[in-house]
């Protein structure tokens, strides 16, 4: 679109509608034929055609028509045509339609009057509007509310024109008089909005005089009241702030949910008193539980999160109300709820929160929840965070979560085992019961990653003689009888064209894509990806306990190396706690037999892929260590690993503490800032809420709470100079990038002694940038400035360029003058904001992108 347009109609350019055919239908057709011709003419005009020859035909044959459809299409036609000449003056032909518009404004048909008044709202030519003003004002007193409603809108639009106060000088008085007696909700809203925009002091006076009846007003008018209160208080006029708060508080019980939502937001923006913030938080929580739309729930959670950043102490009291939103089936809502609740934990509410989360975990076992595995993973992570911050609650949840070590959702099972690993280190009192529970449930684990971590835990934290012996026995039971294959099996595998695969419950498929490590580099050898299948035997039987055997026979030799290391640690610790050398030697011999059996399996042709070198070297090292153990090596294996893990947890805790300290830094007031002392103020006629608000305003003033977050120096760094200082028009832009929206606030200054007419900022883009709307023409007086805003949409995060020029006319020069602007480069770094991501989450997201699968390879000739 090369000009502002208030109407868009789809038109198929393949069906050609010639101007002559339209003209013939307009001249000789009946009502429906003329309506169809007008539709085609409007479609052509909206798609760039001019059709200047049709105007006189329409004036002659369409204006006299009494068909309502034709009359409405006529108004649409007049709305979209060019009504001005190149000099900016109204076309003389427009005078021809004034009489028709006046007749419409006096028509006995209410519909014709209403659509004509609505059309006048989009006219900006004073020459056309001036003779119609008396008819417009007469419609303010019409008996039908439909006409009064649009008459108020027309009066407001005319009065807001550059010289509208000369056309209707007493418009505010007329509208205020109408507002006092009007009964229709839409008409009252339009009248009140007109006063808010054109005579704000009258709107404020009307609101304060009817403050006791605001709760009885219709919701449309209540929304307009809230907008006015925001606008008045934003202008730092705090004289009637207490009365405004009272009005908002009375609207919190309104039947309209939209009004209640806006009231809560307005209340927080006006007051920082705990009573006001608590009322707003309770309102958001009520809406959160009553609204079924997921988008509404997400918006409400965002508002609650904003309250958390500024009023955390008040938000702590509504934690359980927020948790009720977990009943929503949407995972995004659940995730936001959990993130919000974790930031509101205190020693008082942590037990209630954990108990509620435990009930939710139990619900996921039912199996009727959609995406129950993913939801269970989120709950496990939330409970993990609670237990890390408040270790005293870990004992009430850890045993329940350990039942999910064998979860078919591998990600959830991994989160559980990582939680167990951290809790067993940070809570020594729970170590004995957790080790015993892990030994009892180890056979249920089906994922290789979970088995590896569980084996490490058994090797590091099995300290007593009974624990070590039970751990060794459990590992042997899960490995099954030795050897892993017989010579006859190997012969059959060699003879067959396709090697026979062992029947297992868990299949591991080696990924052939490059694997990305935590530092972003590619691994030279890809790890195995678990594909958990449903066990073909009943849990508890002998075959269902052979989880380690199944995984190793499927080619997972990394897990086999972990088994060897765990057995080595257990045997070394058994030598320290077992008084009988015979038993120690027996356990050592059994471990060596398992390791040699694994090495024999890896070097045989029974499996399609042999053992990798790294796993082979690791197992051989364990064999040598058990055959010849020194004190230094024993210390490394039995103490250093656990010490390294404890040090890692300590560094993680220290890093999180430092981040919290950085976030909690508050700004301070400047030495010369004004501070009002609450105790020296008069309390007469003030409610409890107003008193609290005054106190907290004083506190915010003293502690710098009213200072803006954004530093003015940073804003100055983002101002770009678009023209030179010697140009007749100076321009500079302030660029704001918000996600996929770019806003240019351009300041244009006329540095000449002449008036610049039809000044227009013409912008164009290069790259994946799209200009939303083209700024309109302006008239700039000598040595004055103008703020012009341009909105740009971004379709992808790539580097783009915005360029353009400023075009204007002067009375002395007939040609248009052009000032070329400097280019504005939008860098990809403007879209990127720093964030943290856990290693597991990073790997999952990387796997979902599947970068390597999308690379197209072309043969080289």
């Amino acid at each position: 679109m090369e000009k502002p347009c208030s109407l868009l109609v789809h038109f198929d350019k393949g069906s050609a509608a010639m101007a002559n055919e339209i003209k013939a239908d307009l001249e000789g057709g009946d009502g429906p034929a003329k309506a169809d011709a007008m539709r085609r003419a409007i479609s052509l005009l909206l798609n760039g055609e001019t059709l200047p020859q049709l105007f006189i035909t329409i004036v002659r044959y369409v204006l006299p028509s009494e068909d309502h459809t034709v009359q409405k299409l006529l108004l649409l036609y007049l709305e979209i045509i060019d009504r001005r000449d190149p000099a900016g003056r109204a076309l003389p032909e427009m005078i021809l339609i004034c009489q028709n518009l006046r007749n419409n404004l006096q028509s006995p048909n209410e519909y014709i009057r209403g659509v004509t008044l609505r059309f006048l709202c989009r006219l900006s030519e004073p020459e056309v509007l001036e003779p119609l003003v008396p008819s417009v004002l007469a419609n303010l007193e019409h008996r039908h509310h439909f006409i009064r409603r649009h008459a108020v809108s027309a009066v407001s639009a005319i009065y807001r024109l550059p010289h509208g106060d000369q056309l209707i000088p007493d418009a505010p008085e007329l509208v205020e008089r109408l507002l006092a007696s009007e009964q229709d909700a839409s008409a009252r809203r339009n009248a009140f909005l007109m006063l808010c925009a054109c005579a704000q002091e009258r709107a404020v006076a009307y609101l304060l005089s009817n403050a006791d009846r605001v709760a009885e007003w219709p919701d449309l008018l209540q929304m307009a009241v809230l907008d006015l209160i925001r606008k008045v208080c934003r202008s730092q006029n705090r004289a009637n702030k207490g009365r405004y708060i009272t009005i908002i508080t009375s609207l919190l019980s309104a039947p309209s949910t939209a009004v209640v939502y806006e009231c809560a937001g307005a209340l927080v923006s006006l007051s920082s008193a705990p009573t006001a913030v608590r009322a707003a938080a309770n309102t958001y929580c009520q809406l959160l539980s009553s609204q079924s739309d997921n988008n509404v729930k997400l918006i409400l959670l965002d508002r609650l999160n904003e309250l958390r950043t500024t009023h955390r102490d008040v938000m702590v009291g509504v934690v359980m109300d927020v948790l009720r939103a977990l009943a929503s089936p949407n995972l995004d809502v659940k995730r936001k709820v959990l993130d919000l609740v974790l930031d509101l934990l205190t020693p008082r509410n942590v037990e209630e929160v954990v108990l509620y989360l435990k009930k939710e975990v139990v619900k996921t076992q039912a199996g009727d929840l959609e995406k129950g595995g993913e939801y269970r993973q989120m709950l496990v992570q939330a409970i993990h965070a609670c237990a890390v911050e408040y270790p005293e609650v870990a004992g009430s949840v850890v045993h329940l979560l350990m039942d999910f070590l064998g979860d078919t959702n591998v990600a959830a099972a991994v989160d559980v085992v990582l939680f167990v690993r951290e809790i067993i280190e940070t809570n020594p009192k729970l170590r004995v019961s957790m080790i015993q529970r892990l030994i009892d449930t180890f056979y249920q684990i089906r994922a290789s990653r979970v088995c590896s971590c569980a084996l490490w835990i058994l090797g590091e934290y099995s300290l007593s003689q009974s624990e070590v012996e039970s751990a060794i026995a459990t590992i042997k039971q899960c490995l099954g009888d030795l050897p892993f294959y017989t010579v006859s099996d190997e012969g059959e595998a060699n003879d067959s064209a396709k090697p026979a695969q062992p029947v297992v419950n868990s299949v591991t498929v080696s990924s052939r894509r490059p694997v990305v490590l935590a530092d972003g580099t590619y691994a030279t050898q890809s790890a195995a990806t678990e594909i958990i299948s449903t066990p073909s035997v009943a849990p508890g039987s002998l075959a269902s306990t052979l989880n380690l055997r199944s995984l190793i026979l499927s080619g997972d030799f990394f897990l086999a190396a972990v088994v060897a290391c765990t057995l080595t640690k257990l045997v070394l610790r058994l030598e320290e706690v077992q008084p009988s050398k015979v038993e120690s030697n027996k356990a050592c011999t059994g471990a060596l037999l398992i390791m040699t059996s694994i090495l024999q399996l890896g070097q045989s042709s029974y499996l399609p892929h042999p053992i990798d070198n790294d796993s082979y070297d690791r197992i051989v090292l364990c064999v040598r260590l058990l055959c010849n153990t020194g004190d230094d090596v024993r210390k490394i294996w039995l103490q250093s690993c656990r010490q390294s893990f404890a040090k890692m947890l300590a560094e993680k805790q220290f890093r999180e503490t430092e981040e919290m300290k950085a976030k909690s830094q508050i700004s301070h007031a400047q030495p010369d800032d004004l501070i009002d002392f609450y105790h020296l103020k008069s309390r007469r006629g003030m409610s409890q809420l107003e008193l609290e608000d005054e106190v907290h305003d004083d506190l915010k003033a003293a502690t710098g709470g009213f200072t803006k977050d954004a530093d003015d120096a940073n804003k100055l760094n983002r101002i770009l100079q678009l023209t030179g200082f010697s140009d007749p028009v100076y321009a500079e832009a302030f660029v704001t990038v918000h996600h996929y929206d770019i806003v240019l606030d351009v300041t244009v200054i006329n540095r000449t002694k002449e008036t610049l007419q039809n000044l227009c900022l013409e912008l164009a883009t290069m790259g994946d940038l799209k200009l939303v709307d083209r700024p309109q023409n302006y008239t700039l007086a000598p040595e004055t400035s103008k703020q012009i805003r341009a909105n740009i949409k971004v379709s992808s995060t790539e580097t783009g360029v915005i360029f353009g020029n400023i075009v204007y006319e002067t009375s002395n020069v007939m040609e248009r003058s052009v000032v070329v602007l400097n280019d504005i480069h939008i860098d990809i770094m403007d879209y990127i904001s720093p964030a943290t991501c856990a290693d597991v989450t990073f790997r999952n997201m990387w796997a979902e992108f599947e970068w390597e699968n999308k690379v197209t390879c072309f043969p080289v000739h």
Side-chain angles (χ1 to χ4, degrees), residues 137 140-141 155 168 170-179:
L137 296 179
L140 287 175
E141 301 176 358
V155 170
I168 315 179
D170 57 343
E173 292 86 345
L174 294 173
V175 173
E176 186 178 13
R177 198 179 309 131
L178 170 73
L179 183 60

Side-chain angles (χ1 to χ4, degrees), residues 66-109:
E66 297 182 357
D67 188 284
H68 293 173
T69 305
V70 174
Q71 285 295 322
K72 182 177 181 181
L73 291 170
L74 171 64
L75 295 177
L76 293 178
Y77 169 80
L78 295 175
E79 182 181 330
I80 63 176
I81 62 172
D82 262 334
R83 299 185 294 270
R84 295 181 180 272
D85 58 13
R89 295 183 293 271
L91 293 172
E93 295 89 340
M94 293 300 297
I95 306 300
L96 299 175
I97 68 167
C98 282
Q99 184 59 41
N100 180 72
L101 294 176
R102 187 184 296 110
N103 294 338
N104 286 351
L105 292 174
Q106 299 170 357
S107 170
N109 185 279

Side-chain angles (χ1 to χ4, degrees), residues 208 211 229 233 237-249 267 270-271 685-687 689-691 693-694 697:
L208 295 179
I229 292 176
C233 293
N237 183 7
R238 310 172 70 87
N240 296 307
K241 181 180 174 183
R243 300 190 64 184
Y244 293 144
I245 293 176
T246 304
I247 293 173
I248 295 174
T249 306
L267 192 59
L270 260 66
S271 173
M686 298 179 68
S687 64
L689 178 58
E690 294 177 61
L691 290 172
D693 182 63
E694 292 288 347
D697 280 356

Side-chain angles (χ1 to χ4, degrees), residues 556-566 598 614-615 618-619 622:
D556 191 351
F557 287 104
F558 175 78
L559 178 62
V562 175
V563 170
C565 294
T566 303
I598 293 174
D614 184 63
S615 300
R618 189 73 171 170
I619 297 173
C622 294

Side-chain angles (χ1 to χ4, degrees), residues 326-337:
L326 288 176
S328 171
N330 186 271
L331 283 181
D332 293 328
V333 174
K334 294 176 184 290
R335 186 176 293 108
K336 279 205 169 188
V337 168

Side-chain angles (χ1 to χ4, degrees), residues 711-720 734:
D711 191 8
D712 293 337
N714 293 335
K715 287 188 176 182
L716 293 176
N717 293 335
R718 295 158 63 187
I719 293 179
L720 303 176
F734 177 71

Side-chain angles (χ1 to χ4, degrees), residues 219-237:
D219 54 351
L220 291 175
L221 193 54
Q222 289 173 347
M223 295 288 283
V225 167
L226 293 173
D227 289 338
L228 173 65
I229 292 176
R230 281 200 196 91
K231 188 183 299 183
V232 171
C233 293
R234 196 179 297 124
S235 61
Q236 302 301 323
N237 183 7

Side-chain angles (χ1 to χ4, degrees), residues 287-306:
L287 293 174
L288 190 62
S289 59
S290 62
Q291 298 300 306
S292 58
D293 192 311
N294 291 327
N295 294 321
V296 174
K297 288 180 180 289
L298 292 173
I299 292 172
L300 290 169
L301 288 170
D302 286 338
R303 300 290 84 79
L304 288 169
N305 195 38
E306 291 173 1

